[in-house]
Amino acid sequence: MEVKARAKYIRIAPKKVRLVANLIKGMDVERALFELAHLRKNAKVCVTKLLNSAIANAEHNFSLKKENLFIKQITADGGPILHRSMARAHGSAAPIRKRTTHLAIVLAEVTPKEVKPGRESKKPVVKSVKKPAVKKEEKITKK
């Protein structure tokens, strides 16, 4: 079961959000919330809100437990850019690009793998490795 949540038009650059998103990708949600709580990036606020929203969707809409969820996919794509300008010397203007982000997250449920009968008792076979022979140093004799 996959649970999706999306936040659009977030007023922060996608590059800054990707730093936080890539950090928590693949983690279980409890560990991800812990990591986000101790992070010193401003993008953690929007990522935490979206993660909490996805968890609430999973619990309310699909009756999934928070302990069984992990972050399968998280993407931070660029949204529309707000173009502004700032006054510069000699009456000219410099462009300012205020970027926005579309953030999407997909949570999945962890399913324990079933062990086939007879497989649990087998131990891996470790082959012995021979050490290479070390040559003795030849004695140098003086004449």
Side-chain angles (χ1 to χ4, degrees):
M1 176 65 60
E2 290 185 352
V3 181
K4 297 178 183 178
R6 178 175 280 183
K8 297 173 86 175
Y9 306 104
I10 301 170
R11 265 295 294 122
I12 189 168
K15 188 174 180 180
K16 295 177 182 180
V17 178
R18 280 187 203 113
L19 290 171
V20 177
N22 290 335
L23 181 69
I24 64 167
K25 189 181 294 185
M27 287 186 182
D28 60 297
V29 293
E30 292 179 340
R31 177 69 182 170
L33 287 172
F34 179 80
E35 291 287 336
L36 288 171
H38 293 87
L39 198 61
R40 294 185 62 196
K41 297 278 186 188
N42 289 336
K44 76 174 184 177
V45 176
C46 57
V47 174
T48 305
K49 281 185 179 181
L50 184 65
L51 182 57
N52 285 328
S53 175
I55 293 168
N57 289 345
E59 290 175 340
H60 183 265
N61 298 340
F62 301 105
S63 301
L64 301 176
K65 292 185 179 179
K66 182 178 178 179
E67 298 83 29
N68 297 337
L69 297 174
F70 74 98
I71 300 170
K72 183 176 181 181
Q73 183 181 1
I74 183 167
T75 57
D77 300 324
I81 299 171
L82 304 174
H83 295 281
R84 303 290 182 258
S85 60
M86 182 172 66
R88 300 302 298 219
H90 302 289
S92 63
I96 296 176
R97 303 171 73 190
K98 298 189 176 217
R99 299 175 186 269
T100 60
T101 303
H102 295 325
L103 189 58
I105 192 167
V106 177
L107 301 182
E109 189 176 16
V110 177
T111 55
K113 294 182 180 179
E114 294 181 11
V115 179
K116 293 181 181 178
R119 286 282 186 179
E120 64 275 351
S121 63
K122 290 188 178 180
K123 295 180 182 176
V125 178
V126 179
K127 295 181 180 179
S128 60
V129 179
K130 291 184 179 180
K131 294 182 180 179
V134 179
K135 295 182 180 179
K136 294 182 180 178
E137 296 180 16
E138 296 178 10
K139 295 182 180 178
I140 301 175
T141 56
K142 292 182 183 179
K143 289 186 179 181

Short mmCIF file of all heavy atoms in Angstrom, two decimals, residues 70-100:
data_model
loop_
_atom_site.label_atom_id
_atom_site.label_comp_id
_atom_site.label_asym_id
_atom_site.label_seq_id
_atom_site.Cartn_x
_atom_site.Cartn_y
_atom_site.Cartn_z
N PHE A 70 7.58 3.58 5.88
CA PHE A 70 8.88 4.15 5.54
C PHE A 70 8.73 5.04 4.31
O PHE A 70 7.73 4.96 3.59
CB PHE A 70 9.92 3.05 5.30
CG PHE A 70 9.76 2.32 4.00
CD1 PHE A 70 10.52 2.66 2.89
CD2 PHE A 70 8.85 1.28 3.87
CE1 PHE A 70 10.38 1.98 1.70
CE2 PHE A 70 8.70 0.60 2.69
CZ PHE A 70 9.46 0.95 1.59
N ILE A 71 9.71 5.91 4.09
CA ILE A 71 9.66 6.85 2.99
C ILE A 71 10.20 6.17 1.74
O ILE A 71 11.39 5.94 1.62
CB ILE A 71 10.47 8.12 3.31
CG1 ILE A 71 9.90 8.80 4.55
CG2 ILE A 71 10.47 9.07 2.12
CD1 ILE A 71 10.76 9.91 5.09
N LYS A 72 9.30 5.84 0.84
CA LYS A 72 9.69 5.15 -0.38
C LYS A 72 10.28 6.13 -1.39
O LYS A 72 11.27 5.84 -2.05
CB LYS A 72 8.47 4.45 -0.99
CG LYS A 72 8.78 3.65 -2.23
CD LYS A 72 7.55 2.93 -2.71
CE LYS A 72 7.89 2.10 -3.94
NZ LYS A 72 6.69 1.41 -4.43
N GLN A 73 9.67 7.29 -1.50
CA GLN A 73 10.12 8.27 -2.49
C GLN A 73 9.79 9.67 -1.99
O GLN A 73 8.73 9.89 -1.42
CB GLN A 73 9.41 8.00 -3.82
CG GLN A 73 9.83 8.89 -4.94
CD GLN A 73 9.06 8.58 -6.21
OE1 GLN A 73 8.20 7.71 -6.23
NE2 GLN A 73 9.35 9.30 -7.27
N ILE A 74 10.70 10.60 -2.21
CA ILE A 74 10.44 12.01 -1.90
C ILE A 74 11.12 12.84 -2.99
O ILE A 74 12.29 12.62 -3.30
CB ILE A 74 10.91 12.38 -0.48
CG1 ILE A 74 10.57 13.83 -0.16
CG2 ILE A 74 12.37 12.10 -0.27
CD1 ILE A 74 10.70 14.19 1.30
N THR A 75 10.36 13.74 -3.58
CA THR A 75 10.90 14.56 -4.67
C THR A 75 10.64 16.02 -4.39
O THR A 75 9.59 16.39 -3.86
CB THR A 75 10.26 14.19 -6.02
OG1 THR A 75 8.85 14.34 -5.93
CG2 THR A 75 10.61 12.78 -6.43
N ALA A 76 11.59 16.85 -4.78
CA ALA A 76 11.46 18.30 -4.68
C ALA A 76 11.70 18.87 -6.07
O ALA A 76 12.84 19.01 -6.51
CB ALA A 76 12.46 18.86 -3.68
N ASP A 77 10.62 19.17 -6.76
CA ASP A 77 10.70 19.69 -8.12
C ASP A 77 10.49 21.20 -8.12
O ASP A 77 9.84 21.75 -7.22
CB ASP A 77 9.64 19.05 -9.01
CG ASP A 77 9.81 17.54 -9.09
OD1 ASP A 77 10.97 17.09 -9.10
OD2 ASP A 77 8.79 16.83 -9.13
N GLY A 78 11.03 21.85 -9.13
CA GLY A 78 10.89 23.30 -9.24
C GLY A 78 9.49 23.70 -9.67
O GLY A 78 8.89 23.07 -10.53
N GLY A 79 8.99 24.74 -9.07
CA GLY A 79 7.70 25.30 -9.45
C GLY A 79 7.92 26.57 -10.25
O GLY A 79 9.03 26.83 -10.74
N PRO A 80 6.91 27.39 -10.38
CA PRO A 80 7.07 28.65 -11.11
C PRO A 80 8.00 29.61 -10.38
O PRO A 80 8.09 29.60 -9.15
CB PRO A 80 5.66 29.21 -11.20
CG PRO A 80 4.88 28.51 -10.16
CD PRO A 80 5.53 27.19 -9.94
N ILE A 81 8.69 30.43 -11.16
CA ILE A 81 9.66 31.38 -10.60
C ILE A 81 9.04 32.77 -10.62
O ILE A 81 8.51 33.21 -11.65
CB ILE A 81 10.97 31.36 -11.40
CG1 ILE A 81 11.59 29.96 -11.35
CG2 ILE A 81 11.94 32.40 -10.88
CD1 ILE A 81 12.76 29.79 -12.28
N LEU A 82 9.10 33.47 -9.49
CA LEU A 82 8.62 34.85 -9.42
C LEU A 82 9.78 35.77 -9.84
O LEU A 82 10.85 35.73 -9.22
CB LEU A 82 8.17 35.19 -8.00
CG LEU A 82 7.10 34.29 -7.39
CD1 LEU A 82 6.86 34.67 -5.94
CD2 LEU A 82 5.81 34.40 -8.18
N HIS A 83 9.56 36.58 -10.87
CA HIS A 83 10.62 37.45 -11.37
C HIS A 83 10.44 38.83 -10.77
O HIS A 83 9.40 39.48 -10.90
CB HIS A 83 10.55 37.52 -12.90
CG HIS A 83 10.84 36.21 -13.56
ND1 HIS A 83 12.12 35.73 -13.73
CD2 HIS A 83 10.01 35.26 -14.06
CE1 HIS A 83 12.07 34.55 -14.31
NE2 HIS A 83 10.80 34.23 -14.52
N ARG A 84 11.47 39.28 -10.10
CA ARG A 84 11.51 40.61 -9.50
C ARG A 84 12.77 41.31 -9.99
O ARG A 84 13.65 40.69 -10.60
CB ARG A 84 11.53 40.51 -7.96
CG ARG A 84 10.36 39.76 -7.36
CD ARG A 84 9.07 40.56 -7.51
NE ARG A 84 7.95 39.89 -6.90
CZ ARG A 84 7.02 39.22 -7.56
NH1 ARG A 84 7.11 39.06 -8.86
NH2 ARG A 84 6.00 38.68 -6.94
N SER A 85 12.90 42.59 -9.68
CA SER A 85 14.13 43.30 -10.05
C SER A 85 14.56 44.20 -8.92
O SER A 85 13.74 44.64 -8.10
CB SER A 85 13.90 44.11 -11.33
OG SER A 85 12.88 45.05 -11.13
N MET A 86 15.85 44.44 -8.87
CA MET A 86 16.43 45.28 -7.83
C MET A 86 17.22 46.40 -8.50
O MET A 86 17.94 46.16 -9.48
CB MET A 86 17.36 44.44 -6.95
CG MET A 86 17.99 45.21 -5.81
SD MET A 86 18.89 44.16 -4.65
CE MET A 86 20.22 43.56 -5.66
N ALA A 87 17.08 47.59 -7.99
CA ALA A 87 17.77 48.75 -8.57
C ALA A 87 19.28 48.63 -8.39
O ALA A 87 19.76 48.20 -7.34
CB ALA A 87 17.27 50.04 -7.93
N ARG A 88 20.00 48.98 -9.45
CA ARG A 88 21.47 48.94 -9.41
C ARG A 88 22.02 50.30 -9.83
O ARG A 88 21.26 51.25 -10.07
CB ARG A 88 21.97 47.84 -10.36
CG ARG A 88 21.48 46.44 -10.02
CD ARG A 88 21.85 46.00 -8.64
NE ARG A 88 23.28 45.95 -8.47
CZ ARG A 88 23.95 45.04 -7.80
NH1 ARG A 88 23.28 44.08 -7.19
NH2 ARG A 88 25.24 45.07 -7.69
N ALA A 89 23.30 50.36 -9.97
CA ALA A 89 23.98 51.63 -10.28
C ALA A 89 23.61 52.17 -11.66
O ALA A 89 23.29 51.40 -12.57
CB ALA A 89 25.49 51.43 -10.20
N HIS A 90 23.65 53.47 -11.81
CA HIS A 90 23.41 54.18 -13.07
C HIS A 90 22.02 53.92 -13.63
O HIS A 90 21.82 53.86 -14.84
CB HIS A 90 24.47 53.82 -14.12
CG HIS A 90 25.87 54.11 -13.67
ND1 HIS A 90 26.36 55.40 -13.54
CD2 HIS A 90 26.88 53.28 -13.30
CE1 HIS A 90 27.61 55.37 -13.12
NE2 HIS A 90 27.95 54.07 -12.96
N GLY A 91 21.04 53.73 -12.75
CA GLY A 91 19.66 53.57 -13.19
C GLY A 91 19.32 52.24 -13.83
O GLY A 91 18.28 52.10 -14.46
N SER A 92 20.18 51.25 -13.69
CA SER A 92 19.89 49.94 -14.26
C SER A 92 19.20 49.06 -13.22
O SER A 92 19.05 49.45 -12.07
CB SER A 92 21.17 49.28 -14.76
OG SER A 92 22.04 49.04 -13.68
N ALA A 93 18.80 47.88 -13.65
CA ALA A 93 18.12 46.95 -12.75
C ALA A 93 18.73 45.56 -12.90
O ALA A 93 19.16 45.18 -13.99
CB ALA A 93 16.64 46.90 -13.06
N ALA A 94 18.77 44.82 -11.81
CA ALA A 94 19.28 43.44 -11.83
C ALA A 94 18.12 42.51 -11.53
O ALA A 94 17.27 42.80 -10.67
CB ALA A 94 20.37 43.27 -10.79
N PRO A 95 18.04 41.37 -12.24
CA PRO A 95 16.92 40.45 -12.00
C PRO A 95 17.08 39.68 -10.69
O PRO A 95 18.19 39.33 -10.29
CB PRO A 95 16.98 39.50 -13.19
CG PRO A 95 18.39 39.54 -13.63
CD PRO A 95 18.90 40.91 -13.31
N ILE A 96 15.97 39.41 -10.03
CA ILE A 96 15.92 38.55 -8.85
C ILE A 96 14.92 37.45 -9.16
O ILE A 96 13.80 37.72 -9.60
CB ILE A 96 15.47 39.33 -7.60
CG1 ILE A 96 16.49 40.40 -7.25
CG2 ILE A 96 15.28 38.38 -6.43
CD1 ILE A 96 16.08 41.26 -6.10
N ARG A 97 15.33 36.21 -8.99
CA ARG A 97 14.48 35.06 -9.28
C ARG A 97 14.09 34.40 -7.97
O ARG A 97 14.92 33.78 -7.32
CB ARG A 97 15.20 34.09 -10.20
CG ARG A 97 15.63 34.76 -11.49
CD ARG A 97 16.53 33.88 -12.30
NE ARG A 97 15.72 32.80 -12.89
CZ ARG A 97 16.25 31.75 -13.50
NH1 ARG A 97 17.54 31.62 -13.61
NH2 ARG A 97 15.46 30.83 -14.01
N LYS A 98 12.83 34.54 -7.58
CA LYS A 98 12.34 33.92 -6.35
C LYS A 98 11.72 32.58 -6.72
O LYS A 98 10.65 32.52 -7.32
CB LYS A 98 11.33 34.84 -5.66
CG LYS A 98 11.95 36.15 -5.25
CD LYS A 98 11.04 36.96 -4.38
CE LYS A 98 11.80 38.20 -3.93
NZ LYS A 98 11.46 38.57 -2.58
N ARG A 99 12.39 31.51 -6.33
CA ARG A 99 12.00 30.18 -6.77
C ARG A 99 10.97 29.55 -5.83
O ARG A 99 10.94 29.84 -4.64
CB ARG A 99 13.22 29.28 -6.87
CG ARG A 99 14.23 29.79 -7.88
CD ARG A 99 15.48 28.96 -7.89
NE ARG A 99 16.50 29.53 -8.75
CZ ARG A 99 16.63 29.23 -10.04
NH1 ARG A 99 15.82 28.37 -10.60
NH2 ARG A 99 17.58 29.78 -10.75
N THR A 100 10.16 28.66 -6.39
CA THR A 100 9.19 27.90 -5.61
C THR A 100 9.43 26.40 -5.83
O THR A 100 10.10 26.01 -6.79
CB THR A 100 7.74 28.24 -6.00
OG1 THR A 100 7.54 27.95 -7.37
CG2 THR A 100 7.43 29.70 -5.74
#
